[in-house]
Amino acid sequence: MVTQQRGQQARVVAPRTAPGVSKGEINRCGDHLRDWWLSDDEPNDVTLMAWNAIQEFRSSFQYPMTKVAVGVRQFVRRESSEVIVAQRLKRMPQIINKLVRFPDTKLARMEDIGGCRAILPGGRAEILGVMKRIKRNWDVKRERDYIDCPKPTGYRGVHLVVERDGQRIEVQLRTPGQQAWADAVERTAGRLRLPLKDGQGHPELVEYFRLAAEGIAMDEGYLQPDAEFATRFATARAAVQHYFQGR
């Protein structure tokens, strides 16, 4: 993927190559790597071919993802005073881990291999504005509102899956507080090697982050926590202090 500058605008040039395997073959490669990941077997020629095929499949999301990110920046610019938009391709270990966690998932139907994220300082109002622009301009295949209906872990944000150039790209819209919470969960999960994003791990940590997300939502909504919540959160924070000492 190449970006050419012309005046004040950037033009993204599409890659010349495209994946040369069918969706059925991609699914079989995903199933093979998932089974290999769970086994104690050494990688063989089939494993290597499957890995390379999935790498090529993964790369095919780069150009559509970049186009979506460019569009999201334009939408955000019309709704917010700050444009904070990032994009990423899901890494190979993350792809395989997701296939392991959700065995019924078929790789060719995975909707978050390519994704972009916008952080909207204006909160819910700006998120709604960007959502409306996305729906008005793009083919939205799926919408999940985790602000109105948070995940059991406490996670909040809005996810939209759009289709560009035949590939599904996930767009995440978050407030600064929601992003800070997600970053904290990811850092802690990585350091302790726990799947906290899936609500798994030490129960006291899961509960602490759930309550922290609730507190952030109150703060961003200019709501004063009641005494009961304050007590519960203080108790939860005390219970996990030893996980963060010296960090």
Side-chain angles (χ1 to χ4, degrees):
M1 189 266 300
V2 179
T3 302
Q4 294 181 345
Q5 297 290 337
R6 183 170 297 176
Q8 297 299 316
Q9 296 182 335
R11 182 167 64 88
V12 180
V13 180
R16 300 189 180 200
T17 58
V21 293
S22 69
K23 289 184 177 181
E25 289 171 316
I26 286 296
N27 288 334
R28 286 190 288 275
C29 289
D31 291 345
H32 174 82
L33 284 189
R34 180 193 61 221
D35 294 342
W36 167 74
W37 198 265
L38 291 170
S39 74
D40 295 325
D41 297 339
E42 292 293 324
N44 53 32
D45 289 344
V46 176
T47 308
L48 180 60
M49 286 189 292
W51 185 279
N52 289 339
I54 294 176
Q55 282 276 35
E56 186 178 4
F57 175 68
R58 173 182 176 270
S59 297
S60 72
F61 287 82
Q62 179 71 58
Y63 180 56
M65 177 187 68
T66 300
K67 288 173 69 174
V68 169
V70 169
V72 169
R73 288 187 183 94
Q74 293 173 349
F75 298 151
V76 170
R77 191 171 289 112
R78 288 168 171 79
E79 298 290 335
S80 178
S81 59
E82 283 190 75
V83 179
I84 308 171
V85 178
Q87 64 189 67
R88 67 98 184 98
L89 285 178
K90 189 181 284 291
R91 297 190 298 272
M92 286 290 289
Q94 291 177 317
I95 290 173
I96 300 172
N97 275 326
K98 187 165 186 177
L99 293 173
V100 170
R101 296 198 320 270
F102 304 103
D104 293 334
T105 298
K106 292 302 180 183
L107 179 56
R109 300 163 85 180
M110 197 176 287
E111 295 179 328
D112 62 346
I113 292 176
C116 69
R117 177 184 301 137
I119 313 302
L120 294 145
R124 180 68 164 163
E126 290 183 357
I127 287 176
L128 288 173
V130 174
M131 282 176 63
K132 288 179 181 177
R133 292 182 182 276
I134 290 175
K135 291 179 181 181
R136 190 161 60 237
N137 289 277
W138 291 345
D139 181 14
V140 176
K141 296 298 186 181
R142 198 179 306 279
E143 175 185 343
R144 298 182 179 93
D145 189 336
Y146 297 120
I147 296 179
D148 283 347
C149 299
K151 289 186 177 183
T153 60
Y155 174 83
R156 286 164 170 79
V158 170
H159 294 191
L160 301 167
V161 176
V162 302
E163 188 162 308
R164 297 298 297 272
D165 298 340
Q167 301 289 31
R168 294 195 174 190
I169 307 296
E170 183 181 68
V171 178
Q172 297 179 355
L173 307 175
R174 295 177 181 170
T175 66
Q178 291 161 1
Q179 180 62 34
W181 180 90
D183 287 342
V185 170
E186 190 163 348
R187 285 195 303 270
T188 305
R191 180 167 56 82
L192 299 177
R193 298 184 179 181
L194 294 171
L196 293 175
K197 291 201 298 185
D198 298 324
Q200 300 176 29
H202 305 302
E204 62 271 27
L205 268 176
V206 174
E207 177 65 3
Y208 165 72
F209 279 116
R210 187 188 69 78
L211 290 173
E214 189 175 337
I216 289 170
M218 290 181 190
D219 185 58
E220 291 189 326
Y222 303 101
L223 300 175
Q224 183 67 35
D226 59 27
E228 180 189 357
F229 176 83
T231 299
R232 283 191 292 133
F233 184 68
T235 301
R237 183 168 56 186
V240 300
Q241 281 300 305
H242 62 285
Y243 292 111
F244 301 100
Q245 287 174 353
R247 297 289 172 178

